[in-house]
């Protein structure tokens, strides 16, 4: 793609211009020295050196040097060449890096869905760190083009002005999304030509929605007025729409959802180098396709093997199902260093990955396998995956722990496992032979990101808010979830759906086990504390690391793979008491504060935790009011566990009775042991 010319010197024109001679100039004007034609120069700038002609990057002179509707009136005007190149703009615009300026031109009948899809694409791109801006026909006609009518001539001028504005946005590194009926093919061609002359991509998108569908929608009531003769020259009724002959993309909004149309455009823009692969909302599963599975199994049987632990196997499951998209396997050293030092993966854009997903190996295994091009991973005697093109590198355990946990205290339960693991790490591309089944009666809840996306589509969700938990749900948690749903509806969402997503991997010994938590969560739903019709209960397969603000970023990032766009963060997320038992390991507020600032999570809107306590006057959990602090009772986890062990009931309204009974039975069973 062409880049703007380099820095040019400026000088004052101290000679008297014709404008000054006529007494119409108030002072000297700034012009540019005549630049030379050079490689990398914008096509527009090159015109400066050809026959004394100057470029028209701002549309000052209109088409062919003249306004379409009037003579050229701006004289003594010289277009100025930018000092900042497009390449430089690309470095500072957005978080993805690279110049991405272009215009996506939506055309189609009124009511076809142009603006709806354009706004959805704008939101998607901005959430993924790509600067985008939508130009809408009605908006333009209330401002810049408010002096234009709907005659053929004024329609042409409307599109000419919009084309110039779009070109400026694109030249600034923005993906400009222009939504205009633009019924005339010649006008659209002029818009394309305007961009191509200065080396800017232009993509025509035909929103091909039949007239009867558009008229049936008639959101603004315009078709009804046109049919009644109250509006003359209405496109599709008494004025022809010239269908694009070769648009880059054709959308069918009567057959596809807005989200599907948006993804169709994202994939096209990726194919044209505008959107990086990492911004395409697809889940990278590492499961071997069904038709290749038998051959992969035979290959795995022929390979050398590496025995791995249950913890390692849980990470294989996380990778295979796409929770760590776009990772293709266990981290190689380059990815590991990016993760450790920046909490992100940087190749292909800024992608949050705050915790390392690595495979430790012993020295004897490293020496045995380091010359192999591939080997099989084995868990409990069964080959579960092939790791290809392995890369071995040193496992600096103390440094890893200090960077991830802020401590290397040997009594931290996960740090203890790290310190006892191998002195080497091996990265490589994974091919997982089959879907994981743990056969514990809970596999039906282990939904993959793609399965959850389908579930949300089937429910008609227009917003998904996720709640991560590793503890039983009390009514304070439910209050926060129900309040989030209420607020989303107030913002205009019609069907917000809750993803109740307990962590299902390894947890420390004194945590409530997964099967008990799932029974308790079911009881909450059965008692109607949470709405079962708008709640999806599923298991998140990741192990728990108790790494505080560092880990909570991983919990949020992984839920992005499900299509969730809101994330509720609790008090002291992923925290625990310090191993020396003198204090909490992390500040309870840092997790939620870090999430609001973390790079690479722009797709998610963070819903901060609100403190809830038992309101004695209401006999219910309520948001804490410091001005009425005497009305509130805080029931700690320690107090809750003591009540459950004793078989005593908490205050009415603290937890659903059947859910409390499940907890009591669990803690009393521990006492008997």
């Amino acid at each position: 793609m062409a880049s703007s010319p380099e820095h040019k010197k400026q000088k004052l024109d101290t000679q008297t211009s014709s404008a000054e001679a006529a007494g119409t100039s108030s002072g000297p004007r700034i012009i540019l020295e005549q630049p030379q034609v050079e490689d990398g120069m914008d096509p527009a700038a090159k015109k400066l050196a050809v026959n004394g002609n100057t470029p028209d990057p701002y549309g000052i002179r209109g088409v062919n040097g003249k306004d379409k509707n009037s003579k050229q009136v701006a004289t003594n005007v010289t277009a100025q060449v930018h000092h900042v190149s497009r390449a430089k703009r690309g470095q500072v615009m957005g978080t993805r890096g690279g110049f991405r300026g272009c215009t996506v031109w939506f055309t189609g009948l009124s009511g076809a869905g142009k603006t709806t899809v354009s706004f959805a694409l704008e939101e998607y791109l901005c959430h993924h760190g790509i600067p985008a801006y939508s130009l809408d026909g009605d908006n333009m006609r209330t401002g810049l083009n408010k002096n234009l009518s709907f005659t053929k001539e004024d329609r042409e001028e409307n599109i000419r002005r919009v084309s110039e504005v779009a070109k400026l946005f694109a030249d600034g590194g923005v993906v400009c999304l222009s939504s205009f009926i633009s019924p005339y093919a010649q006008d659209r061609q002029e818009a394309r030509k305007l961009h191509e002359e200065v080396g800017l991509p232009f993509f025509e998108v035909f929103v091909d929605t039949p007239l009867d569908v558009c008229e049936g929608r008639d959101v603004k009531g315009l078709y009804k007025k046109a049919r009644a003769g109250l509006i003359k020259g209405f496109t599709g009724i008494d004025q022809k729409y010239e269908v694009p002959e070769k648009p880059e993309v054709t959308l069918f909004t009567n057959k596809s959802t807005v989200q599907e149309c948006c993804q169709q455009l994202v994939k096209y823009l990726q194919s044209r180098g505008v959107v990086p692969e990492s911004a395409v909302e697809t889940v990278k599963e590492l499961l071997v396709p069904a038709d290749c599975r038998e051959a992969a199994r035979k290959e795995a049987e022929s390979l050398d093997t590496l025995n791995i632990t249950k913890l390692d196997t849980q990470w294989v499951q996380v990778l295979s199902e796409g929770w760590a998209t776009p990772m293709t396997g266990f981290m190689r050293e380059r990815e590991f260093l990016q993760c450790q030092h920046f909490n992100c993966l940087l190749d292909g854009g800024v992608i949050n990955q705050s915790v390392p997903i690595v495979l430790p190996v012993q020295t004897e295994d490293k020496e045995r396998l380091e010359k192999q091009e591939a080997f099989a991973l084995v868990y409990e005697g069964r080959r579960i995956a092939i790791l290809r093109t392995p890369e071995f590198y040193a496992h600096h355990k103390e440094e890893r722990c200090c960077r991830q946990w802020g401590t290397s205290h040997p009594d931290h339960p996960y740090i203890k496992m790290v310190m006892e693991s191998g002195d080497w790490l091996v990265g490589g591309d994974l091919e997982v032979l089959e879907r994981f089944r743990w056969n514990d009666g809970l596999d039906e809840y282990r939904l993959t990101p793609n399965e959850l996306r389908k579930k949300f589509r089937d429910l008609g969700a227009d917003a998904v808010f996720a709640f991560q938990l590793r503890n039983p749900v009390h009514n304070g948690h439910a209050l926060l979830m129900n309040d989030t749903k209420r607020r989303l509806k107030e913002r205009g969402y019609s069907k917000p759906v809750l993803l109740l997503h307990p962590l299902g991997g390894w947890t420390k010994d004194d945590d409530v086990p997964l099967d008990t938590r799932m029974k308790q969560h079911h009881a909450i739903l059965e008692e109607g504390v949470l709405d079962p019709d708008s709640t999806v209960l599923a298991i998140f397969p990741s192990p728990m690391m108790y790494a505080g603000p560092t880990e909570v970023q991983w919990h949020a990032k992984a839920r992005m793979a499900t299509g969730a766009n809101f994330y509720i963060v609790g008090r002291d997320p992923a925290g625990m008491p310090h191993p020396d038992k003198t204090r909490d390991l992390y500040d309870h507020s840092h997790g939620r504060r870090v999430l609001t600032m973390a790079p690479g999570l722009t797709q998610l809107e963070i819903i901060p935790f609100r403190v809830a306590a038992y309101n004695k006057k209401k006999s219910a959990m309520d948001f804490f009011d410091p001005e009425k602090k005497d009305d509130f009772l805080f029931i700690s986890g320690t107090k809750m566990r003591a009540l459950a062990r004793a078989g005593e009931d908490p205050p009415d309204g603290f937890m659903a009775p059947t859910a409390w009974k499940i907890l009591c039975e669990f803690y009393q069973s521990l006492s008997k042991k």
Side-chain angles (χ1 to χ4, degrees):
M1 187 177 295
S3 59
S4 292
E6 292 298 315
H7 201 116
K8 306 297 176 187
K9 295 179 181 178
Q10 291 183 330
K11 68 177 182 179
L12 286 176
D13 179 11
T14 57
Q15 297 179 353
T16 304
S17 68
S18 57
E20 290 170 315
T24 58
S25 175
S26 60
R29 61 190 176 93
I30 299 176
I31 66 171
L32 298 181
E33 288 185 346
Q34 189 83 335
Q36 301 298 312
V37 176
E38 54 189 67
D39 291 338
M41 183 180 289
D42 273 351
K46 287 184 180 180
K47 292 182 180 179
L48 284 169
V50 181
N51 299 325
N53 293 328
T54 56
D56 187 23
Y58 304 104
I60 295 168
R61 296 190 303 280
V63 178
N64 297 325
K66 294 183 180 180
D67 188 288
K68 278 188 162 186
N69 298 326
S70 63
K71 294 181 179 180
Q72 172 69 42
V73 295
T75 59
N76 301 307
V77 175
T78 303
Q80 307 297 296
V81 181
H82 286 280
H83 298 170
V84 179
S85 70
R86 289 177 185 168
K88 182 61 178 177
R89 288 193 197 108
Q91 292 175 1
V92 299
M93 292 285 286
T95 60
R96 294 284 173 176
F99 181 81
R100 307 189 186 281
C102 67
T103 290
V104 180
W105 191 280
F106 293 85
T107 177
L109 296 174
S110 177
K114 301 181 297 298
T115 296
T116 301
V117 176
S118 172
F119 281 3
L121 181 58
E122 178 186 32
E123 182 180 24
Y124 180 95
L125 293 175
C126 289
H127 278 178
H128 286 80
I130 298 171
Y133 190 83
S134 288
L135 297 176
D136 173 69
D138 285 358
N139 292 349
M140 292 296 288
R141 282 187 174 273
T142 60
L144 178 66
N145 294 346
K146 65 181 179 181
N147 64 324
L148 298 178
S149 68
F150 287 91
T151 65
K152 186 176 188 300
E153 291 74 19
D154 276 5
R155 280 191 151 187
E156 290 176 353
E157 175 60 12
N158 178 55
I159 298 304
R160 189 194 70 80
R161 293 183 189 179
V162 170
S163 303
E164 295 284 2
V165 172
K167 186 182 70 173
L168 293 181
F169 271 97
D171 190 50
V174 175
V175 178
C176 185
L177 310 170
S178 301
S179 304
F180 296 85
I181 295 173
S182 45
Y184 305 125
Q186 181 60 35
D187 292 344
R188 299 193 299 266
Q189 183 57 34
E190 290 291 342
R192 180 188 296 276
K193 182 179 177 183
L194 195 67
H195 286 71
E196 291 177 346
E197 284 180 342
V198 291
L200 290 169
F202 180 95
F203 309 118
E204 186 177 44
V205 177
F206 177 33
V207 186
D208 187 4
T209 307
L211 176 61
D212 62 322
V213 175
C214 295
E215 194 165 358
R217 293 171 178 170
D218 203 14
V219 179
K220 304 172 187 176
L222 300 178
Y223 282 98
K224 185 177 181 181
K225 291 179 180 180
R227 290 293 187 188
L230 300 177
I231 300 177
K232 301 296 183 182
F234 192 79
T235 305
I237 303 299
D238 57 354
Q239 188 172 75
K240 183 180 179 181
Y241 175 80
E242 298 176 1
V243 175
E245 293 183 1
K246 293 182 179 180
E248 277 76 7
V249 179
T250 300
L251 301 178
F252 300 97
T253 62
N254 59 321
K255 300 177 183 178
S256 303
T257 66
V258 173
Q259 195 170 30
E260 288 168 344
C261 290
C262 183
Q263 283 303 305
Q264 182 181 344
L265 288 168
V266 169
K267 289 177 181 177
Y268 176 77
L269 292 175
Q270 180 202 354
S271 73
R272 297 302 298 269
V274 175
V275 172
E277 181 183 359
S278 57
V280 178
E281 198 164 279
T282 55
V283 177
K284 188 181 286 294
E285 291 187 345
L286 306 182
L287 294 163
V288 174
D291 58 348
C292 301
R293 200 165 293 155
E294 188 58 36
R297 284 199 184 100
K298 289 181 179 178
E299 182 186 2
E301 291 294 332
S302 69
L303 296 173
D304 286 343
T305 61
L306 175 68
N307 288 305
I308 62 175
T309 66
K310 184 175 183 179
L311 180 69
D312 299 330
T313 303
Q314 289 175 352
W315 283 119
V316 172
Q317 180 179 2
V318 167
L319 290 165
S320 71
E321 295 177 356
W323 297 100
T325 297
M327 288 178 59
T328 60
F330 284 107
M331 286 180 171
R332 300 176 186 276
E333 189 170 27
R334 177 181 175 84
E335 295 170 307
F336 177 72
L337 291 173
Q338 291 175 359
C339 168
Q340 287 272 275
H341 292 271
F342 309 114
N343 280 3
C344 290
L345 301 178
L346 302 177
D347 299 329
V350 178
I351 301 162
N352 193 283
Q353 185 59 53
S354 59
V355 301
I357 301 180
V358 292
L359 181 58
V361 295
Q362 301 295 333
T363 300
E364 54 268 30
D365 288 321
K366 180 250 185 186
E367 292 175 348
R368 179 172 57 86
L369 297 169
E370 62 183 341
K371 293 183 180 179
Q372 302 296 320
E373 293 185 0
F375 54 82
L377 302 183
V378 176
Y379 175 63
E380 293 187 340
R382 186 167 57 93
R383 286 167 167 80
I384 62 171
I386 297 172
L387 190 143
R388 298 193 185 278
T389 60
E391 176 188 338
F392 293 87
Y393 54 100
H395 189 185
H396 300 289
K397 301 175 188 178
E398 185 176 8
E399 181 187 3
R400 172 189 170 186
C401 292
C402 289
R403 291 189 182 280
Q404 184 172 347
W405 284 275
T407 179
S408 58
H409 198 294
D411 292 335
H412 184 291
Y414 203 104
I415 290 175
K416 184 174 186 292
M417 293 190 293
V418 171
M419 292 301 189
E420 292 173 352
S421 67
D423 292 336
W424 299 89
L425 299 174
V426 59
D429 296 337
L430 267 185
E431 295 175 6
V432 181
L433 300 180
E434 61 185 359
R435 175 83 176 270
F436 276 86
R437 302 293 179 190
W438 294 95
N439 300 315
D440 56 358
L442 298 174
D443 284 331
E444 64 178 298
Y445 298 103
R446 293 186 172 94
L447 301 179
T448 68
N450 278 328
E451 289 170 339
L452 284 168
R453 285 172 178 257
K454 183 179 184 304
K455 188 84 170 177
F456 299 143
R457 286 196 300 270
D458 292 344
L459 287 171
D462 57 356
V464 176
F465 59 108
F467 188 66
Q468 144 82 29
L469 65 166
R470 72 173 196 270
N471 293 312
V473 174
H474 58 63
N475 288 1
H477 298 132
L479 176 67
L480 180 57
M481 289 181 265
N482 287 326
D483 184 65
T484 299
K485 179 180 177 180
R486 176 188 62 79
R487 286 192 284 164
L488 290 174
K489 284 193 169 184
E490 288 176 352
R491 288 170 57 172
Y493 294 99
S494 60
K495 188 65 182 291
V497 170
L498 166 65
L499 172 59
L500 188 63
H501 215 199
L503 183 139
W506 175 89
T507 56
K508 55 190 175 69
D509 292 340
D510 59 351
D511 279 358
V512 179
L514 178 62
D515 60 344
T516 301
R517 285 185 280 132
M518 289 297 288
K519 291 176 186 175
Q520 196 265 354
H521 300 340
H522 268 293
I524 293 289
L525 290 168
E526 288 169 359
E527 290 211 24
V529 178
L530 296 172
D531 177 16
D533 293 331
S534 61
T535 301
V536 174
L537 175 61
I539 294 172
F540 176 45
S542 175
M544 188 73 198
M545 289 162 281
Y546 307 94
T550 298
E551 184 176 3
V552 75
Q553 295 175 64
W554 158 244
H555 291 165
K557 176 262 173 86
R559 273 40 179 247
M560 287 167 54
T562 70
N565 37 15
F566 297 91
Y567 183 81
I568 302 174
V569 56
R571 180 188 181 278
D572 193 22
M576 60 170 280
H578 195 285
D580 66 12
K581 299 179 173 58
T582 61
R583 62 194 186 280
D584 285 341
L585 186 54
Y586 307 106
D587 185 293
H588 66 83
S589 71
H590 284 184
R592 64 179 181 270
R593 290 166 65 187
V594 164
L595 270 190
T596 62
M597 301 181 284
L601 296 178
T602 49
Q603 177 184 323
L604 284 176
E605 182 175 330
I606 305 303
I607 308 296
F609 178 79
R610 296 176 65 189
V611 177
Y614 186 76
N615 189 318
K616 293 178 287 186
K617 288 189 174 181
K618 294 182 178 180
S619 295
M621 296 298 287
D622 194 11
F623 291 122
F624 178 66
D625 184 352
E627 295 183 359
K628 299 178 181 179
K629 60 182 180 180
D630 293 338
D631 295 346
F632 289 88
L633 173 67
F634 285 91
I635 302 174
S636 67
T638 301
K639 175 69 173 175
M640 183 186 75
R641 289 187 288 272
L643 289 171
R645 286 191 183 97
E648 299 178 12
D649 290 333
D652 288 342
F654 174 74
M655 185 181 291
T658 55
W660 178 254
K661 182 180 178 182
I662 291 167
L663 276 190
C664 287
E665 291 173 352
F666 166 70
Y667 280 111
Q668 288 172 355
S669 71
L670 294 181
S671 300
K672 292 176 182 178
K673 291 179 182 179

